Each structure stands twice: as C-alpha cells, then as structure tokens.
Amino acid sequence: MPADRMELVERYLRGETDVVEPRDAASVVLLRDGAAGPEVYLLRRRPAMAFAAGMHVFPGGSVDLRDREAAQHWAGPPPAEWAEAFSCDPELAAALVAAAVRETFEESGVLLAAYRNGTLVADTTGEEWERDRLALIEGELALSDFLRARDLLLRADLLRPWAHWITPEWQSRRFDTRFFLAALPAGQRTRDVGGEADRVAWLPVAEAYRGFRDRSLTMMNATASTLRDLTAHPDVASAMAASRRIRLILGHPVLTDGRLEYLYDGDDGPVPLSELVEPLAAPGVDPGARPSESR
C-alpha cells in the first residue's frame, strides 16, 4: 500500500479519522458465454479518478434520488423481494435496482429493459439512444422519464442479487454497494463509451481472476471476490441460477508488523478478508488457466 494510504489507515486506527457515511450504490457484473466459459465486462477507471483510480471494475455508481421513481415502470420481482435479498427497505431496494439498470446503460450501452409488449430492447447503438444515455450521465434526464418517453419497462427479472460490500471506514470516499449479476441480452452489445474508463474489455472470468492474483490487473477486493466465486460456474446460466446468501462485508483494517490485513465479521468471529479472494476449487474449472482474451 502506498505510504499516503498507509498513513490514513494508521490515523483511523488511532481514532483520528472522522468516518464518512457511505453512499448507496449499485454495481452490475455483466456476463456472456464464451469459448472458455463465462466472460465478464470490465472497465479500467482513469488514473485521475478520485475513487478506485486505475482499478478494473464492473459498471456501477451511486444511487440517484430520482432512481426511486423508476418503480412506476417496473417488470419482474417486486422491490419487496429485492429488499429481502439485500436486507434493506423496499424503497431503497427499488432505487438500487433502478441504479443498476441506469449505470449499466450509462457505462456499457447495455439496457436491461423491454417494451410494454414484452419485447426486449435489442439495439441501443442509434443516435437517439446515445443522446439519452449522455443526458442520463449528466443528470439532465431521470431514468423514470427516459423509460416513460420510450414506453419501456425496467426488467428487474434480468438481474440477480450477488453481494453486498461497504468501503472500509478509513477511506474518505465510501460506498454501500449491492452487486448484481446480469446476462448480456440477445441482440445487444457493449460499447466503449468513454467517460470514467480509459479501457474496457470482455475477459473470461478465470483469466480476469488470474490477473488479480498475478497483479497484472488491479482491482478492489469486492471485484476480485466476485470473480473468484464466479470461477465455480461453467456458464452464465449456472451463475444466474446460483442461490446466494447475501451478507454485508465490511473490512476492518489490522496492522501487524507493518503489514495490512482486513478482517470481516463472520458467523464464528473475525475472518481474514483474504479468504474471500483465494482460489476456489470447482469441478472442471481451473482459475489458473490462461484462456485467450476476447472483446
């Protein structure tokens, strides 16, 4: 860890830090099937970004207050079911699902929505789609207004709950993030839409996780842990069908002889956070394999 960040950790452990309240956020693990198993869409955040600079991340971002209004244009499991999965109230759950859909569209061009006749959106590459995408990014357009104008319904059934992480308390920018899975809808494709990322790529899940392990890809523990768990699944359908116990993961820093480790609260007491990002044995899946990269 860089010296300036280590100093922040040490200040926190001495009780000299005002803990910042985390912002609610959603992140979407966008998947597709590839020749070497499931592939994941990753963005590399620009080096100048204030949070997670240079890190490889999934599409995602903070909840907008107006995201709560999108429940008026909804299809799929109701907010109450998402609230149960993520241990929050239905109003926040609706906003999290809406933020997941909005951020995925903003950062990849993929829209998890359908027309009111049930037909899924199949192509978002036209100029009018791009105009609306940019307006959403700038906050000039609310997701609910976007859906209403195009006579669309948010498709909550295209998402699956996956994980819940909160940024450690010593950091000055903190997020209370719920992670979702989504399969790339038929007929849609991701686009390098710029913005906060300087590179995007589809990578086999096993290769992306290996990149974290050998330090060729920088990423946060939440990202690496998700990839680690996904290596257990031979295809997207298996991952989407997985039964998950969603529990809050908040790492507590511990310094031992100058070495930083995180602990989280497990069922039987403190557990090293490193256990969540170690290789996961899975029949027929080799996390150390080196499949070819595809975009």
Side-chain angles (χ1 to χ4, degrees), residues 21-22 32 69 73 94-95 98 112 121 126 129 151 155 176 178 182 186 195 210 215 228 260 268-270 277 279:
E21 190 71 18
R32 71 181 184 187
E69 302 167 4
H73 312 278
L112 304 173
V121 173
W129 289 108
D151 203 27
R155 286 289 297 268
D176 186 342
R178 271 74 168 194
R210 180 187 54 78
R215 300 186 180 183
R228 175 256 197 190
L260 175 65
D268 300 316
V277 295

Side-chain angles (χ1 to χ4, degrees), residues 1-182:
M1 175 178 286
D4 57 340
R5 290 168 63 84
M6 185 64 78
E7 182 180 354
L8 291 175
V9 173
E10 291 173 343
R11 288 183 56 202
Y12 166 77
L13 293 174
R14 293 196 300 265
E16 300 172 359
T17 300
D18 292 328
V19 177
V20 176
E21 190 71 18
R23 300 169 62 181
D24 290 308
S27 187
V28 178
V29 187
L30 194 58
L31 298 170
R32 71 181 184 187
D33 283 316
E39 296 179 345
V40 62
Y41 184 72
L42 290 173
L43 307 93
R44 186 175 66 186
R45 288 174 61 83
R46 296 184 183 278
M49 298 301 296
F51 181 80
M55 296 284 186
H56 291 77
V57 299
F58 311 119
S62 299
V63 169
D64 185 317
L65 289 176
R66 298 174 298 174
D67 286 334
R68 299 171 188 265
E69 302 167 4
Q72 304 167 24
H73 312 278
W74 188 284
E81 290 190 24
W82 293 97
E84 183 176 357
F86 283 128
S87 301
C88 64
D89 63 75
E91 187 178 9
L92 175 56
L96 289 164
V97 172
V101 171
R102 176 179 53 77
E103 288 286 345
T104 301
F105 182 50
E106 289 179 5
E107 297 197 340
S108 73
V110 171
L111 182 59
L112 304 173
Y115 298 98
R116 290 186 178 272
N117 64 6
T119 303
L120 287 176
V121 173
D123 183 25
T124 63
T125 58
E127 291 184 5
E128 292 186 356
W129 289 108
E130 182 63 8
R131 178 200 63 205
D132 287 347
R133 189 188 69 81
L134 293 174
L136 286 166
I137 290 176
E138 295 300 323
E140 300 168 355
L141 181 65
L143 179 64
S144 58
D145 294 333
F146 165 69
L147 295 171
R148 181 184 302 110
R150 290 184 171 271
D151 203 27
L152 295 172
L153 294 176
L154 172 159
R155 286 289 297 268
D157 58 324
L158 299 181
L159 293 160
R160 297 291 185 273
W162 189 260
H164 180 191
W165 289 70
I166 296 183
T167 310
E169 292 182 335
W170 64 266
Q171 295 195 19
S172 59
R173 290 176 179 267
R174 302 185 63 224
F175 297 91
D176 186 342
T177 306
R178 271 74 168 194
F179 288 78
F180 300 78
L181 293 191

